[in-house]
Amino acid sequence: MSNPTPLLNNLGQNNAYTTDIEARRERYKSIRKRSAASSRQSVDAAPDITSSKAFLVLLVLLAIALSIQFVIVLSWHHSRHDGHVLGKASSGRESLREAVRKASMVVKSVLPSKKQNDATGLKNDGSAPPHFFPLVPPLPAILNTRNIPNSKKLMSETLSGENPTVAGMTLILADFIEAMHQSNKELARRETPHRVQRDDVHDAFLNLAKTRLRPLEERYRDKLIFPIRVDDSIFVSLASFRDYLLGDTLKGAFDQAKHPDKLFIGAVVQNCFGLNPYPGEEGVQCRTGAQVVGKDERGKDKTQVSDAPPDRNGIEEFCSSPTHKKYCLSGQVRVLYLHENESLGPAMARYYASKLWGGETYFMQVDSHLEFYMGWDELYVNELKSTKSFPKAVLSSYPPGFSAENGGVLMNESPGARLCSCEFSAYDVEANIIRINSGVGYSGDEKYPTQIPFIAAGFFFTPASFLVDVPFDPYMPWCFMGEEIMLSMRAWTHGWNIYAPRKNWIAHQYRPGRMGLPKFWGSVGRMFGRPGPGFSNQLQLRLIKRVKYLVGYEDCCTKKKLQQEGDELVLIDVEHYAFGDVRSREDYLEWTNIDVADKKCHPIEWCNKGELL
């Protein structure tokens, strides 16, 4: 990995960054002092009545009256807000303490705070919500969370719900990841006859998840961590595995956005950092994916895995750019790092990324190898608002592909395609899981987006209140397949309608095996001394039973059968990441013409014809 010191100087993570923050603090303090001095002069010139007890009592009573009025108005506003943004009325059963906590958070988000003087924030003027602070620097990799002041307090206040912050959330995740990093090292050191087995790895993960992630999940179950800002801001969940296009993706997203000041990134960067990447970490020798190096005697591709240099860090490329540095300094790029050999697959990486959300209006999930069309942000917001069921609506599609790289810039829009078909996978490692696919596209003269039955994990765009109804599942490690059908069924049964956007304003680099890029399952195998995908596949085959249990695969994955096979652990807390009560699982399977018993997906005519608005 390249020496981080020059970059830190460029970005200002040490001296420049601290100096910039402290300068803003001092300017803010100076303004406050001048304001206070002016106030004192005015008071000194006032009549003596201002120092009387009667006058002071009157001021206190007036303050109390104004406070009561504010709370009443605030409560009324939030009732209306919940109805509009969450798509449901307040239950009325929320405890007084929770109501006060929410009101306090909202008050802090609009009133001046001493903590607000150390960021450029939403409008680059110190007006960002207090839960943005302290900012977690996006660099250096791994170490960016190591020197946050009062880290234990931030974690405690986030876990208790007393004063949650983006920093506290990031630190909780980093703590889990570091504990897992050390646990994996210990497991990997086991030698024959005690060599680590599949269930040992899964059990170790569950023990850490139960102690470090479950308390977080329980604290914020069925509620938002932060109040939603109604300002059309967009949070982009971006999971990246050893991706050389991450930097271009970030540049394209900001450069092509109409409102880059309203764009916030939550990136989970899973990279190989090489040998001895930082003090106290021996690291690993990086390796390529299975690269095609020729043909064998039968004319088939011959592949080889070779040593490789440390991965490019797209965050470093983006934040060191003079054009984009400001977005990193303002806290618009939130980053969580993992060593590549502790990657748990895309579903888990997206769970991490979802926790970096900071109250933005919209939630967008994408991959880290994209191109963006000019004005993409406003186009998707307007498209979402044009759906019949907005705000309980989700936009999703498989974007068109690109091969020639263009720095994250998509030059032309194209007609959208609907996700209208599916199949039961025939691959052994995917164990007959349902895979979704595209159907008939738009003709170009449709007045409104039409409904589809599926959500693609590589792109969906929705109001952030989606996170309340469909929180990401923290118990889906090592799963490469299954997340899309679960997202689709969970969202629909919670009352969310899914739509295909009429135009494509992003493009995706689809990556066939011939590209030789590294995959997470190769890293899992190397971590535990079993090169190749086999060990990771064993883990996935166990964990995918969680999905199959929920979907209704009665041939393999009823609760009774899982218990008989010793796999009941895959159902931990499953009821909290299951279906809603607005519509049923059976309704969904009938609506989509899916026959789980016979393992068949039949044509979905209403989707291909665009019949539902």
Side-chain angles (χ1 to χ4, degrees):
M1 185 174 68
S2 60
N3 184 357
T5 303
L7 177 63
L8 294 181
N9 292 332
N10 290 337
L11 176 60
Q13 288 301 129
N14 286 340
N15 298 331
Y17 182 85
T18 304
T19 301
D20 181 55
I21 296 299
E22 291 301 324
R24 287 198 292 272
R25 285 177 172 163
E26 292 304 318
R27 288 197 296 271
Y28 181 86
K29 290 178 181 178
S30 176
I31 293 171
R32 293 293 298 271
K33 286 180 180 179
R34 288 198 299 270
S35 176
S38 175
S39 298
R40 285 195 297 272
Q41 291 174 3
S42 299
V43 170
D44 290 341
D48 291 341
I49 188 173
T50 59
S51 61
S52 69
K53 291 183 178 180
F55 182 81
L56 294 176
V57 169
L58 181 62
L59 283 179
V60 171
L61 291 174
L62 179 60
I64 292 174
L66 289 173
S67 298
I68 292 172
Q69 182 182 17
F70 179 81
V71 170
I72 292 172
V73 172
L74 185 65
S75 299
W76 173 82
H77 169 75
H78 270 267
S79 295
R80 289 174 58 87
H81 176 271
D82 287 346
H84 176 68
V85 178
L86 296 183
K88 59 186 177 184
S90 176
S91 67
R93 296 191 295 269
E94 188 177 41
S95 68
L96 177 61
R97 180 178 179 180
E98 180 64 17
V100 170
R101 183 188 74 83
K102 284 188 174 182
S104 175
M105 289 168 59
V106 175
V107 171
K108 288 179 181 179
S109 71
V110 296
L111 294 179
S113 166
K114 291 182 180 179
K115 291 183 180 179
Q116 288 183 337
N117 57 8
D118 65 345
T120 52
L122 302 177
K123 298 181 180 179
N124 220 25
D125 62 358
S127 63
H131 60 257
F132 276 23
F133 304 98
L135 295 179
V136 178
L139 292 164
I142 302 291
L143 303 180
N144 66 321
T145 59
R146 298 286 175 89
N147 297 310
I148 304 299
N150 304 312
S151 59
K152 289 185 178 179
K153 181 181 179 182
L154 290 166
M155 292 169 65
S156 176
E157 289 182 343
T158 298
L159 278 171
S160 69
E162 177 186 350
N163 185 28
T165 57
V166 173
M169 186 66 67
T170 307
L171 289 165
I172 291 167
L173 297 176
D175 175 69
F176 169 76
I177 291 167
E178 176 60 23
M180 186 177 61
H181 183 58
Q182 298 304 324
S183 173
N184 285 346
K185 283 184 178 180
E186 293 177 10
L187 291 172
R189 282 195 286 264
R190 290 187 185 179
E191 297 180 356
T192 305
H194 304 293
R195 193 181 188 191
V196 65
Q197 302 299 315
R198 178 199 71 172
D199 291 358
D200 298 327
V201 176
H202 185 215
D203 290 349
F205 166 83
L206 284 180
N207 289 335
L208 290 173
K210 285 189 286 188
T211 57
R212 286 172 164 82
L213 298 182
R214 180 190 267 172
L216 182 67
E217 294 297 296
E218 291 176 344
R219 168 55 59 185
Y220 297 104
R221 186 157 290 138
D222 299 324
K223 66 184 73 170
L224 290 165
I225 300 172
F226 307 114
I228 294 176
R229 301 194 306 277
V230 187
D231 59 359
D232 281 351
S233 52
I234 299 172
F235 174 83
V236 181
S237 165
L238 204 159
S240 170
F241 182 81
R242 303 188 65 183
D243 200 330
Y244 72 98
L245 286 182
L246 172 59
D248 283 352
T249 296
L250 290 171
K251 291 174 183 177
F254 279 92
D255 292 348
Q256 296 289 87
K258 185 168 184 178
H259 304 288
D261 57 313
K262 296 182 179 181
L263 188 60
F264 294 79
I265 304 295
V268 175
V269 179
Q270 304 159 102
N271 270 7
C272 181
F273 301 104
L275 296 168
N276 303 308
Y278 52 85
E281 175 57 46
E282 64 270 26
V284 296
Q285 171 60 54
C286 300
R287 302 277 281 171
T288 66
Q291 297 176 317
V292 177
V293 295
K295 299 286 185 180
D296 62 16
E297 60 276 8
R298 293 174 297 177
K300 293 185 177 181
D301 288 341
K302 183 178 179 180
T303 62
Q304 177 178 305
V305 177
S306 309
D307 287 349
D311 296 328
R312 290 166 54 180
N313 185 353
I315 301 296
E316 182 177 312
E317 295 173 358
F318 180 78
C319 292
S320 62
S321 161
T323 303
H324 306 102
K325 170 182 173 181
K326 59 185 177 182
Y327 302 119
C328 299
L329 292 174
S330 69
Q332 289 178 248
V333 180
R334 307 162 189 155
V335 189
L336 186 69
Y337 290 96
L338 290 81
H339 293 274
E340 52 118 3
N341 54 15
E342 62 205 20
S343 170
L344 299 174
M348 198 67 192
R350 287 163 179 151
Y351 165 80
Y352 297 143
S354 73
K355 297 300 182 187
L356 301 179
W357 174 78
E360 289 74 36
T361 313
Y362 299 104
F363 181 91
M364 178 181 182
Q365 180 170 288
V366 294
D367 288 334
S368 55
H369 29 274
L370 297 183
E371 293 180 345
F372 295 82
Y373 183 67
M374 181 62 70
W376 66 270
D377 52 337
E378 186 173 77
L379 290 167
Y380 278 124
V381 168
N382 291 338
E383 186 75 349
L384 185 66
K385 290 180 177 179
S386 72
T387 61
K388 185 177 180 180
S389 67
F390 180 80
K392 294 206 74 169
V394 182
L395 295 177
S396 190
S397 69
Y398 282 156
F402 69 85
S403 53
E405 297 162 17
N406 195 32
V409 175
L410 178 64
M411 299 305 297
N412 300 300
E413 63 181 14
S414 59
R418 303 180 181 98
L419 297 172
C420 291
S421 64
C422 67
E423 64 180 346
F424 285 78
S425 176
Y427 295 103
D428 290 342
V429 69
E430 295 176 4
N432 288 129
I433 201 66
I434 298 172
R435 302 187 64 166
I436 68 175
N437 213 328
S438 297
V440 177
Y442 285 104
S443 62
D445 58 355
E446 292 83 1
K447 293 183 178 179
Y448 301 99
T450 59
Q451 286 191 48
I452 57 175
F454 303 120
I455 294 177
F459 166 65
F460 71 89
F461 191 98
T462 187
S465 52
F466 180 89
L467 297 173
V468 177
D469 288 340
V470 193
F472 283 77
D473 189 344
Y475 301 108
M476 288 283 290
W478 305 293
C479 282
F480 187 73
M481 299 302 300
E483 60 175 330
E484 293 183 321
I485 189 62
M486 280 311 305
L487 271 175
S488 306
M489 295 180 72
R490 291 177 63 202
W492 193 82
T493 57
H494 275 94
W496 292 80
N497 288 339
I498 311 163
Y499 294 84
R502 289 168 291 173
K503 297 284 187 180
N504 294 307
W505 297 301
I506 59 173
H508 178 277
Q509 185 189 65
Y510 293 95
R511 296 176 159 183
R514 285 186 59 83
M515 291 186 70
L517 299 176
K519 308 294 184 182
F520 87 91
W521 47 80
S523 298
V524 174
R526 284 194 296 273
M527 179 72 212
F528 298 107
R530 293 171 171 84
F535 192 67
S536 178
N537 290 347
Q538 291 180 37
L539 288 161
Q540 172 169 273
L541 285 170
R542 187 186 206 197
L543 271 297
I544 208 169
K545 293 178 181 179
R546 183 179 179 91
V547 176
K548 298 173 83 171
Y549 164 79
L550 288 169
V551 174
Y553 286 67
E554 295 187 358
D555 58 328
C556 70
C557 300
T558 62
K559 193 169 187 178
K560 182 178 180 180
K561 288 183 178 179
L562 292 175
Q563 290 173 338
Q564 291 173 344
E565 295 174 3
D567 284 332
E568 66 273 14
L569 285 177
V570 303
L571 300 184
I572 180 173
D573 292 345
V574 71
E575 67 275 12
H576 300 303
Y577 308 96
F579 304 128
D581 56 10
V582 178
R583 298 178 281 214
S584 71
R585 174 181 66 182
E586 290 70 26
D587 290 339
Y588 180 85
L589 295 174
E590 181 180 353
W591 184 60
T592 53
N593 219 0
I594 296 174
D595 188 334
V596 178
D598 286 345
K599 308 293 187 296
K600 292 182 179 179
C601 289
H602 299 286
I604 310 172
E605 295 299 335
W606 61 262
C607 181
N608 283 310
K609 294 178 180 179
E611 293 178 347
L612 296 183
L613 296 179

